[in-house]
Amino acid sequence: MVNPYEDEGNTRVFSKDVLSEELVWHRDKKDRTVTILEGDGWQFQRDNELPFHLNVGDEITIEALEYHRIIKGKTDLKIEIKET
Protein backbone atom coordinates (compact mmCIF):
# COMPACT_ATOMS: atom_id res chain seq x y z
CA MET A 1 0.00 0.00 0.00
CA VAL A 2 1.31 3.42 -0.98
CA ASN A 3 1.07 6.16 1.65
CA PRO A 4 -1.38 9.00 0.89
CA TYR A 5 1.30 11.55 1.84
CA GLU A 6 4.92 12.50 1.28
CA ASP A 7 7.40 12.89 4.12
CA GLU A 8 10.05 15.61 4.11
CA GLY A 9 11.96 15.00 7.35
CA ASN A 10 9.49 15.55 10.21
CA THR A 11 7.12 17.37 7.83
CA ARG A 12 4.30 15.49 6.11
CA VAL A 13 2.34 16.75 3.09
CA PHE A 14 -1.07 15.48 1.98
CA SER A 15 -2.04 16.56 -1.54
CA LYS A 16 -5.38 18.23 -2.14
CA ASP A 17 -5.73 15.62 -4.90
CA VAL A 18 -5.49 12.60 -2.57
CA LEU A 19 -8.46 10.25 -2.81
CA SER A 20 -10.69 10.44 0.27
CA GLU A 21 -10.75 6.64 0.53
CA GLU A 22 -6.96 6.65 1.02
CA LEU A 23 -7.37 8.64 4.26
CA VAL A 24 -8.22 5.67 6.46
CA TRP A 25 -8.77 5.25 10.20
CA HIS A 26 -5.47 4.24 11.76
CA ARG A 27 -3.37 4.11 14.92
CA ASP A 28 0.23 5.16 15.47
CA LYS A 29 2.69 3.25 17.65
CA LYS A 30 3.95 6.33 19.53
CA ASP A 31 2.44 9.47 21.05
CA ARG A 32 2.58 12.39 18.61
CA THR A 33 2.13 16.12 18.61
CA VAL A 34 1.04 17.42 15.22
CA THR A 35 1.29 21.10 14.25
CA ILE A 36 -0.68 22.40 11.27
CA LEU A 37 1.64 24.41 9.00
CA GLU A 38 -0.58 24.87 5.91
CA GLY A 39 -3.97 23.74 4.69
CA ASP A 40 -7.56 24.85 4.24
CA GLY A 41 -10.71 22.85 4.83
CA TRP A 42 -9.07 19.77 6.37
CA GLN A 43 -10.57 18.08 9.43
CA PHE A 44 -9.35 15.71 12.15
CA GLN A 45 -11.47 13.04 13.78
CA ARG A 46 -10.84 10.78 16.77
CA ASP A 47 -12.72 7.52 17.28
CA ASN A 48 -16.23 8.14 18.71
CA GLU A 49 -15.94 11.93 18.30
CA LEU A 50 -17.16 14.45 15.76
CA PRO A 51 -14.56 15.81 13.30
CA PHE A 52 -13.19 19.32 13.82
CA HIS A 53 -11.54 21.79 11.43
CA LEU A 54 -7.77 22.12 11.34
CA ASN A 55 -6.37 25.64 11.33
CA VAL A 56 -2.83 26.82 10.71
CA GLY A 57 -1.01 26.91 14.04
CA ASP A 58 -3.19 24.27 15.73
CA GLU A 59 -1.38 21.64 17.80
CA ILE A 60 -3.02 18.25 18.24
CA THR A 61 -1.84 15.60 20.68
CA ILE A 62 -2.49 12.03 19.56
CA GLU A 63 -1.92 9.23 22.03
CA ALA A 64 -0.28 5.99 20.93
CA LEU A 65 -2.80 3.45 19.58
CA GLU A 66 -5.64 6.03 19.46
CA TYR A 67 -7.79 5.55 16.34
CA HIS A 68 -7.99 8.70 14.24
CA ARG A 69 -8.18 9.99 10.69
CA ILE A 70 -8.02 13.17 8.65
CA ILE A 71 -10.69 14.33 6.24
CA LYS A 72 -9.70 15.88 2.92
CA GLY A 73 -9.69 19.65 2.49
CA LYS A 74 -9.43 22.17 -0.34
CA THR A 75 -5.66 22.81 -0.46
CA ASP A 76 -2.57 20.73 0.32
CA LEU A 77 -2.14 19.95 4.03
CA LYS A 78 1.32 20.35 5.52
CA ILE A 79 1.95 19.20 9.10
CA GLU A 80 4.91 18.84 11.43
CA ILE A 81 5.02 15.64 13.47
CA LYS A 82 6.90 15.26 16.75
CA GLU A 83 6.91 11.81 18.34
CA THR A 84 7.09 11.77 22.12
Side-chain angles (χ1 to χ4, degrees), residues 7-21:
D7 281 330
E8 302 166 0
N10 64 342
T11 301
R12 182 165 288 175
V13 179
F14 293 85
S15 170
K16 65 179 173 64
D17 298 322
V18 68
L19 298 175
S20 292
E21 49 271 7

Side-chain angles (χ1 to χ4, degrees), residues 57-74:
D58 285 354
E59 279 192 5
I60 301 165
T61 301
I62 305 167
E63 294 183 16
L65 304 180
E66 173 182 47
Y67 275 107
H68 62 280
R69 69 176 179 158
I70 58 171
I71 299 169
K72 184 176 171 177
K74 301 175 196 168

